[in-house]
mmCIF file of all heavy atoms in Angstrom:
data_model
loop_
_atom_site.group_PDB
_atom_site.id
_atom_site.type_symbol
_atom_site.label_atom_id
_atom_site.label_comp_id
_atom_site.label_asym_id
_atom_site.label_seq_id
_atom_site.Cartn_x
_atom_site.Cartn_y
_atom_site.Cartn_z
ATOM 1 N N ASP E 48 -15.396 28.756 22.189
ATOM 2 C CA ASP E 48 -15.437 29.736 21.106
ATOM 3 C C ASP E 48 -14.627 30.978 21.461
ATOM 4 O O ASP E 48 -14.588 31.391 22.627
ATOM 5 C CB ASP E 48 -16.873 30.166 20.817
ATOM 6 C CG ASP E 48 -17.673 29.079 20.127
ATOM 7 O OD1 ASP E 48 -17.066 28.113 19.643
ATOM 8 O OD2 ASP E 48 -18.910 29.201 20.062
ATOM 9 N N ILE E 49 -14.030 31.577 20.420
ATOM 10 C CA ILE E 49 -13.260 32.797 20.612
ATOM 11 C C ILE E 49 -13.442 33.676 19.386
ATOM 12 O O ILE E 49 -13.509 33.179 18.264
ATOM 13 C CB ILE E 49 -11.762 32.496 20.851
ATOM 14 C CG1 ILE E 49 -10.987 33.778 21.104
ATOM 15 C CG2 ILE E 49 -11.167 31.723 19.690
ATOM 16 C CD1 ILE E 49 -9.558 33.548 21.559
ATOM 17 N N THR E 50 -13.554 34.977 19.610
ATOM 18 C CA THR E 50 -13.581 35.952 18.528
ATOM 19 C C THR E 50 -12.367 36.843 18.687
ATOM 20 O O THR E 50 -12.125 37.378 19.774
ATOM 21 C CB THR E 50 -14.865 36.802 18.556
ATOM 22 O OG1 THR E 50 -15.991 35.933 18.440
ATOM 23 C CG2 THR E 50 -14.878 37.801 17.406
ATOM 24 N N VAL E 51 -11.614 36.997 17.609
ATOM 25 C CA VAL E 51 -10.380 37.771 17.640
ATOM 26 C C VAL E 51 -10.559 39.032 16.802
ATOM 27 O O VAL E 51 -10.959 38.961 15.643
ATOM 28 C CB VAL E 51 -9.193 36.944 17.096
ATOM 29 C CG1 VAL E 51 -7.924 37.769 17.046
ATOM 30 C CG2 VAL E 51 -8.987 35.693 17.937
ATOM 31 N N TYR E 52 -10.268 40.177 17.421
ATOM 32 C CA TYR E 52 -10.215 41.471 16.742
ATOM 33 C C TYR E 52 -8.768 41.947 16.778
ATOM 34 O O TYR E 52 -7.925 41.348 17.463
ATOM 35 C CB TYR E 52 -11.094 42.499 17.457
ATOM 36 C CG TYR E 52 -12.575 42.251 17.307
ATOM 37 C CD1 TYR E 52 -13.267 41.440 18.205
ATOM 38 C CD2 TYR E 52 -13.283 42.845 16.270
ATOM 39 C CE1 TYR E 52 -14.628 41.213 18.061
ATOM 40 C CE2 TYR E 52 -14.646 42.634 16.128
ATOM 41 C CZ TYR E 52 -15.311 41.822 17.029
ATOM 42 O OH TYR E 52 -16.648 41.593 16.883
ATOM 43 N N LYS E 53 -8.478 43.051 16.078
ATOM 44 C CA LYS E 53 -7.122 43.594 16.119
ATOM 45 C C LYS E 53 -6.757 43.928 17.565
ATOM 46 O O LYS E 53 -7.637 44.163 18.404
ATOM 47 C CB LYS E 53 -6.990 44.815 15.219
ATOM 48 C CG LYS E 53 -7.775 46.006 15.683
ATOM 49 C CD LYS E 53 -7.616 47.162 14.733
ATOM 50 C CE LYS E 53 -8.454 48.329 15.270
ATOM 51 N NZ LYS E 53 -8.476 49.442 14.396
ATOM 52 N N ASN E 54 -5.483 43.901 17.864
ATOM 53 C CA ASN E 54 -4.928 44.177 19.199
ATOM 54 C C ASN E 54 -5.303 43.115 20.237
ATOM 55 O O ASN E 54 -5.325 43.377 21.430
ATOM 56 C CB ASN E 54 -5.346 45.562 19.703
ATOM 57 C CG ASN E 54 -4.839 46.660 18.818
ATOM 58 O OD1 ASN E 54 -3.711 46.611 18.332
ATOM 59 N ND2 ASN E 54 -5.668 47.651 18.572
ATOM 60 N N HIS E 55 -5.610 41.906 19.784
ATOM 61 C CA HIS E 55 -5.940 40.815 20.704
ATOM 62 C C HIS E 55 -4.684 40.387 21.467
ATOM 63 O O HIS E 55 -3.575 40.469 20.955
ATOM 64 C CB HIS E 55 -6.505 39.626 19.913
ATOM 65 C CG HIS E 55 -7.195 38.621 20.765
ATOM 66 N ND1 HIS E 55 -6.517 37.657 21.479
ATOM 67 C CD2 HIS E 55 -8.511 38.420 21.019
ATOM 68 C CE1 HIS E 55 -7.387 36.914 22.138
ATOM 69 N NE2 HIS E 55 -8.602 37.360 21.869
ATOM 70 N N THR E 56 -4.890 39.897 22.642
ATOM 71 C CA THR E 56 -3.800 39.354 23.436
ATOM 72 C C THR E 56 -3.182 38.164 22.704
ATOM 73 O O THR E 56 -3.911 37.336 22.164
ATOM 74 C CB THR E 56 -4.333 38.877 24.802
ATOM 75 O OG1 THR E 56 -4.975 39.968 25.444
ATOM 76 C CG2 THR E 56 -3.227 38.324 25.673
ATOM 77 N N PRO E 57 -1.847 38.044 22.687
ATOM 78 C CA PRO E 57 -1.221 36.880 22.031
ATOM 79 C C PRO E 57 -1.753 35.568 22.608
ATOM 80 O O PRO E 57 -2.004 35.458 23.806
ATOM 81 C CB PRO E 57 0.264 37.064 22.343
ATOM 82 C CG PRO E 57 0.422 38.537 22.519
ATOM 83 C CD PRO E 57 -0.860 38.988 23.193
ATOM 84 N N LEU E 58 -1.927 34.588 21.719
ATOM 85 C CA LEU E 58 -2.560 33.331 22.104
ATOM 86 C C LEU E 58 -2.109 32.220 21.178
ATOM 87 O O LEU E 58 -1.956 32.430 19.975
ATOM 88 C CB LEU E 58 -4.088 33.506 21.984
ATOM 89 C CG LEU E 58 -4.967 32.281 22.066
ATOM 90 C CD1 LEU E 58 -5.049 31.806 23.507
ATOM 91 C CD2 LEU E 58 -6.358 32.589 21.543
ATOM 92 N N ILE E 59 -1.897 31.044 21.743
ATOM 93 C CA ILE E 59 -1.664 29.832 20.961
ATOM 94 C C ILE E 59 -2.639 28.785 21.479
ATOM 95 O O ILE E 59 -2.769 28.598 22.685
ATOM 96 C CB ILE E 59 -0.213 29.322 21.111
ATOM 97 C CG1 ILE E 59 0.757 30.342 20.512
ATOM 98 C CG2 ILE E 59 -0.045 27.965 20.434
ATOM 99 C CD1 ILE E 59 2.214 29.994 20.694
ATOM 100 N N SER E 60 -3.351 28.130 20.548
ATOM 101 C CA SER E 60 -4.342 27.138 20.951
ATOM 102 C C SER E 60 -4.525 26.116 19.837
ATOM 103 O O SER E 60 -4.035 26.292 18.724
ATOM 104 C CB SER E 60 -5.678 27.822 21.259
ATOM 105 O OG SER E 60 -6.604 26.894 21.774
ATOM 106 N N SER E 61 -5.282 25.076 20.149
ATOM 107 C CA SER E 61 -5.662 24.067 19.153
ATOM 108 C C SER E 61 -7.102 24.297 18.745
ATOM 109 O O SER E 61 -7.947 24.642 19.577
ATOM 110 C CB SER E 61 -5.530 22.662 19.742
ATOM 111 O OG SER E 61 -4.188 22.381 20.044
ATOM 112 N N LEU E 62 -7.382 24.103 17.465
ATOM 113 C CA LEU E 62 -8.739 24.250 16.956
ATOM 114 C C LEU E 62 -9.404 22.894 16.833
ATOM 115 O O LEU E 62 -8.747 21.896 16.546
ATOM 116 C CB LEU E 62 -8.723 24.918 15.580
ATOM 117 C CG LEU E 62 -8.179 26.338 15.525
ATOM 118 C CD1 LEU E 62 -8.119 26.816 14.087
ATOM 119 C CD2 LEU E 62 -9.028 27.271 16.360
ATOM 120 N N THR E 63 -10.712 22.887 17.010
ATOM 121 C CA THR E 63 -11.482 21.670 16.809
ATOM 122 C C THR E 63 -11.946 21.616 15.352
ATOM 123 O O THR E 63 -11.826 22.591 14.619
ATOM 124 C CB THR E 63 -12.714 21.639 17.731
ATOM 125 O OG1 THR E 63 -13.557 22.735 17.388
ATOM 126 C CG2 THR E 63 -12.315 21.720 19.193
ATOM 127 N N LEU E 64 -12.488 20.500 14.956
ATOM 128 C CA LEU E 64 -13.124 20.370 13.645
ATOM 129 C C LEU E 64 -14.312 21.320 13.652
ATOM 130 O O LEU E 64 -15.261 21.119 14.414
ATOM 131 C CB LEU E 64 -13.583 18.929 13.441
ATOM 132 C CG LEU E 64 -14.260 18.581 12.143
ATOM 133 C CD1 LEU E 64 -13.241 18.588 11.010
ATOM 134 C CD2 LEU E 64 -14.903 17.216 12.232
ATOM 135 N N SER E 65 -14.251 22.402 12.850
ATOM 136 C CA SER E 65 -15.297 23.403 12.984
ATOM 137 C C SER E 65 -15.360 24.349 11.794
ATOM 138 O O SER E 65 -14.556 24.282 10.873
ATOM 139 C CB SER E 65 -15.064 24.222 14.258
ATOM 140 O OG SER E 65 -13.835 24.920 14.193
ATOM 141 N N LYS E 66 -16.315 25.247 11.899
ATOM 142 C CA LYS E 66 -16.549 26.281 10.901
ATOM 143 C C LYS E 66 -16.047 27.603 11.486
ATOM 144 O O LYS E 66 -16.410 27.966 12.612
ATOM 145 C CB LYS E 66 -18.045 26.338 10.611
ATOM 146 C CG LYS E 66 -18.499 27.402 9.689
ATOM 147 C CD LYS E 66 -19.992 27.292 9.397
ATOM 148 C CE LYS E 66 -20.821 27.409 10.640
ATOM 149 N NZ LYS E 66 -22.256 27.396 10.417
ATOM 150 N N ILE E 67 -15.228 28.316 10.721
ATOM 151 C CA ILE E 67 -14.704 29.614 11.139
ATOM 152 C C ILE E 67 -15.539 30.694 10.467
ATOM 153 O O ILE E 67 -15.817 30.623 9.273
ATOM 154 C CB ILE E 67 -13.226 29.751 10.734
ATOM 155 C CG1 ILE E 67 -12.370 28.736 11.489
ATOM 156 C CG2 ILE E 67 -12.724 31.163 10.984
ATOM 157 C CD1 ILE E 67 -10.926 28.723 11.055
ATOM 158 N N LEU E 68 -15.924 31.699 11.244
ATOM 159 C CA LEU E 68 -16.645 32.846 10.717
ATOM 160 C C LEU E 68 -15.651 33.989 10.539
ATOM 161 O O LEU E 68 -14.947 34.354 11.487
ATOM 162 C CB LEU E 68 -17.751 33.269 11.672
ATOM 163 C CG LEU E 68 -18.403 34.628 11.435
ATOM 164 C CD1 LEU E 68 -19.100 34.674 10.082
ATOM 165 C CD2 LEU E 68 -19.360 34.972 12.545
ATOM 166 N N VAL E 69 -15.594 34.539 9.335
ATOM 167 C CA VAL E 69 -14.697 35.648 9.037
ATOM 168 C C VAL E 69 -15.546 36.826 8.592
ATOM 169 O O VAL E 69 -16.357 36.696 7.681
ATOM 170 C CB VAL E 69 -13.702 35.273 7.909
ATOM 171 C CG1 VAL E 69 -12.795 36.443 7.583
ATOM 172 C CG2 VAL E 69 -12.898 34.042 8.295
ATOM 173 N N ARG E 70 -15.373 37.970 9.253
ATOM 174 C CA ARG E 70 -16.080 39.184 8.836
ATOM 175 C C ARG E 70 -15.088 40.069 8.087
ATOM 176 O O ARG E 70 -14.060 40.463 8.620
ATOM 177 C CB ARG E 70 -16.645 39.927 10.036
ATOM 178 C CG ARG E 70 -17.488 41.127 9.608
ATOM 179 C CD ARG E 70 -18.341 41.699 10.719
ATOM 180 N NE ARG E 70 -19.338 40.731 11.151
ATOM 181 C CZ ARG E 70 -19.451 40.335 12.431
ATOM 182 N NH1 ARG E 70 -18.663 40.795 13.360
ATOM 183 N NH2 ARG E 70 -20.384 39.468 12.762
#
Side-chain angles (χ1 to χ4, degrees):
D48 288 346
I49 182 171
T50 301
V51 177
Y52 289 89
K53 67 181 179 185
N54 298 320
H55 195 279
T56 303
L58 168 75
I59 295 176
S60 186
S61 295
L62 297 175
T63 62
L64 180 71
S65 62
K66 176 176 60 176
I67 295 175
L68 167 62
V69 179
R70 185 166 296 124

